[in-house]
Amino acid sequence: MMNQIGLIGIGVMGSNLALNLSDKNFKVKVFNNSDEKIQNLIQKDKNNNIEGFNTIKELIKNLEKPRNLLLLVPSGAPTFEVSKTLLELMEKGDFLIDAGNSYFEDSITLGKLCKDKDVSFIGMGVSGGEVGARTGPALMIGSENQIPDELKFLFDSIAAKKDSVPCSGYYKGAGTGHFIKMIHNGIEYAEMQILAEAYSILKFSNFSNFEASEFFSNLSNNNQSSYLIEITSKILKKEVKENYIIDKIDSVANHKGTGKLTIETSLEHGFPVPSIYSAFNARVESHYQKLFSLDVDKLDNQIDISKLNSAIYFSRLSSLLQGLLFIEFLSERNSYKIMTKNILSNWAAGCIIRSELLAELSNNCDKKGMLDKNKVQNLLNLYLEDTKDVIRQAINSNIPLHVITSSLNWYLNLSSNTNPSNLIQAQRDYFGAHKVKLIGSEDFLHIDWD
Ligand code: 6PG
């Protein structure tokens, strides 16, 4: 029975995964060129299952065949560099498992490099941050190769559990695991921004930080429990030296690019994910405060919290749907054969976007495990009018709602058989002779506009 694994990259995620593996009685052989880092990790390991090596060659030599090597180094060039070194030493039947935040196209490329060396490749998205890695992440596992039961047992052992079911999803394709993780991160951006917009509304409705915190903790009691809502409530009431720390934090948000990749990929494939885009854009705009010198003051808002609850639900559902529909679109196009119901189960625990909404959406899938668009539309419609009221009020109070407004526009536009793009066609044909397609015809023709 295989009970050991090699691990390269003992940063935050790597060291916590190593400790998680050790807790589950797997022998973990780690590489790091710093003996101090290795010792620091070994000291935390109460089960004495972690062993360190200062060269990759030593590590490879001390791993039983077929070897399983877990990579947790920064995505992009570092991942490729370490992989190429490993592939010179690995042998047929070994598994290289990239568990970094790699771009899925890179995982497809790395899968090919491994195949050339008769090494099997797994691209694994890991979600749940530091705590998740330590106690149970959600694992999104993509591979062209058949994954041995022993390796599946290892992944299932360290993964988060929902009602004792491991949150480890297995998908065909070297890049599919990282593709699904990328979409997860896009949805994560949107969820975080929706909560920030709700916090903004509460703030300009004269809620204190503590009252706002209470609002978010009460959301959990109104069918909206989620990890991000939970931590938002805790963050808002966190005091340091009798001051709310949230009031001391600068209003600028950064990113490591994971959500940006979702948008770039959606633009490349011409698939709409406007709520995810708006969330990313809000982070970018946060660096351009006071571009204009004249302050447009926020006016007092009198929010109806049950309507705000609805607007949060509507926008969260819209953002989640955009991500899942994009996966369905690309799965269809690339014959990934991904079932949405499996993704919702994969994300049921451990990951950053875990929430009750995922289970609710799972109940709105069809017999094939894909989204039932009629059922889902009925859900959205339940919250539509309240969402519009919240947006109306925010507009009157000069409060920008990037994602909540974008979610409404997305839904209204995709629930209508008319939109003003006929004029766009005409304008393009007028100045660029790009031709127009008439209703009921597949042909394009140029209009003589004079
Ligand atoms: C997760 C998180 C994590 C994320 C980092 C950075 O699923 O555990 O999504 O993987 O990449 O928290 O996020 P940013 O893209 O916002 O920097």
Side-chain angles (χ1 to χ4, degrees):
M1 175 75 176
M2 182 280 291
N3 83 325
Q4 63 166 243
I5 192 161
L7 192 149
I8 295 174
I10 50 174
V12 169
M13 293 300 282
S15 50
N16 280 292
L17 272 180
L19 293 168
N20 184 348
L21 284 157
S22 168
D23 282 353
K24 308 302 187 301
N25 297 319
F26 292 101
K27 297 294 179 196
V28 189
K29 295 175 187 271
V30 303
F31 157 76
N32 197 286
N33 44 29
S34 151
D35 213 32
E36 186 192 351
K37 282 188 181 166
I38 290 176
Q39 292 315 317
N40 286 343
L41 175 58
I42 289 175
Q43 271 158 26
K44 292 176 192 161
D45 174 26
K46 295 182 178 54
N47 310 295
N48 301 319
N49 285 324
I50 299 176
E51 189 183 355
F53 299 89
N54 293 126
T55 70
I56 287 183
K57 260 192 183 146
E58 274 301 293
L59 171 67
I60 296 280
K61 217 166 73 182
N62 282 274
L63 276 172
E64 283 167 23
K65 297 178 190 175
R67 303 178 190 86
N68 296 305
L69 267 149
L70 202 52
L71 213 46
L72 281 122
V73 297
S75 55
T79 293
F80 278 103
E81 274 152 38
V82 176
S83 299
K84 283 172 185 157
T85 306
L86 287 170
L87 286 172
E88 289 312 310
L89 302 164
M90 292 174 81
E91 295 169 80
K92 185 178 170 104
D94 289 352
F95 264 92
L96 178 60
I97 305 148
D98 175 18
N101 252 338
S102 295
Y103 182 44
F104 76 100
E105 297 281 11
D106 286 351
S107 300
I108 293 169
T109 304
L110 193 45
K112 288 180 185 139
L113 291 177
C114 288
K115 193 170 181 178
D116 294 347
K117 299 274 186 182
D118 281 332
V119 168
S120 298
F121 175 77
I122 290 174
M124 179 162 79
V126 180
S127 179
E130 180 178 358
V131 171
R134 181 70 186 81
T135 59
L139 301 176
M140 292 145 263
I141 301 156
S143 185
E144 288 297 345
N145 308 93
Q146 183 67 31
I147 300 176
D149 290 344
E150 294 175 327
L151 196 48
K152 279 191 174 178
F153 174 73
L154 179 144
F155 292 141
D156 294 352
S157 303
I158 62 172
K161 309 292 185 292
K162 177 73 175 176
D163 307 328
S164 315
V165 177
C167 290
S168 40
Y170 297 88
Y171 307 94
K172 183 125 189 65
T176 316
H178 278 130
F179 173 74
I180 293 169
K181 172 61 169 69
M182 175 191 77
I183 300 288
H184 164 279
N185 278 43
I187 296 165
E188 172 189 300
Y189 279 40
E191 288 243 352
M192 292 164 73
Q193 178 63 24
I194 290 162
L195 298 177
E197 289 168 17
Y199 157 64
S200 177
I201 289 170
L202 292 166
K203 194 164 137 184
F204 293 105
S205 301
N206 300 313
F207 277 61
S208 68
N209 287 326
F210 186 80
E211 288 163 335
S213 168
E214 287 297 286
F215 167 82
F216 286 109
S217 62
N218 289 334
L219 273 187
S220 299
N221 308 327
N222 293 304
N223 87 348
Q224 287 212 64
S225 75
S226 89
Y227 168 72
L228 285 172
I229 290 172
E230 244 171 74
I231 68 167
T232 298
S233 176
K234 288 176 184 166
I235 287 164
L236 290 172
K237 64 184 172 188
K238 174 71 180 169
E239 292 185 76
V240 173
K241 296 188 187 114
E242 291 171 9
N243 287 310
Y244 286 108
I245 191 68
I246 187 67
D247 295 334
K248 305 286 181 199
I249 296 174
D250 199 0
S251 291
V252 281
N254 295 313
H255 66 92
K256 282 197 269 186
T258 52
K260 179 163 78 75
L261 289 173
T262 310
I263 296 144
E264 287 171 350
T265 307
S266 73
L267 293 175
E268 194 184 304
H269 292 281
F271 194 86
V273 289
S275 300
I276 295 172
Y277 174 78
S278 299
F280 176 71
N281 179 54
R283 292 197 188 189
V284 173
E285 282 188 8
S286 73
H287 292 266
Y288 291 84
Q289 299 291 304
K290 295 304 297 163
L291 183 75
F292 298 107
S293 53
L294 178 66
D295 231 2
V296 178
D297 288 335
K298 306 283 190 296
L299 311 174
D300 267 1
N301 202 47
Q302 295 308 317
I303 190 64
D304 170 336
I305 56 170
S306 73
K307 292 191 175 186
L308 180 56
N309 186 337
S310 298
I312 292 168
Y313 184 95
F314 178 90
S315 315
R316 289 180 60 223
L317 180 53
S318 300
S319 308
L320 182 57
L321 287 171
Q322 288 166 30
L324 292 170
L325 287 166
F326 184 25
I327 293 175
E328 289 193 354
F329 166 81
L330 224 62
S331 173
E332 174 68 25
R333 198 170 186 174
N334 297 356
S335 317
Y336 286 153
K337 297 190 175 57
I338 299 172
M339 268 173 58
T340 301
K341 210 170 174 78
N342 290 346
I343 293 178
L344 292 166
S345 154
N346 194 170
W347 292 344
C351 70
I352 299 291
I353 64 169
R354 61 188 185 266
S355 80
E356 207 170 300
L357 181 58
L358 300 176
E360 186 164 8
L361 202 48
S362 194
N363 297 330
N364 286 278
C365 285
D366 62 23
K367 293 191 191 66
K368 293 193 204 112
M370 310 306 277
L371 290 169
D372 179 324
K373 294 185 185 67
N374 294 331
K375 283 186 178 176
V376 162
Q377 179 167 31
N378 293 338
L379 258 184
L380 286 164
N381 271 333
L382 291 174
Y383 300 90
L384 177 60
E385 292 312 315
D386 281 354
T387 302
K388 287 157 63 178
D389 287 345
V390 168
I391 291 171
R392 274 188 206 100
Q393 211 175 39
I395 289 169
N396 293 336
S397 305
N398 299 328
I399 300 170
L401 300 180
H402 290 75
V403 175
I404 294 175
T405 307
S406 184
S407 300
L408 175 66
N409 290 339
W410 169 79
Y411 178 63
L412 294 180
N413 200 34
L414 271 55
S415 306
S416 151
N417 51 16
T418 60
N419 69 60
S421 301
N422 51 342
L423 181 57
I424 305 293
Q425 274 215 80
Q427 290 161 339
R428 291 181 72 237
D429 186 48
Y430 188 100
F431 63 69
H434 294 293
K435 299 184 179 175
V436 300
K437 184 179 98 47
L438 301 178
I439 295 170
S441 156
E442 287 313 309
D443 302 329
F444 282 80
L445 55 99
H446 176 54
I447 307 281
D448 178 358
W449 295 100
D450 293 325

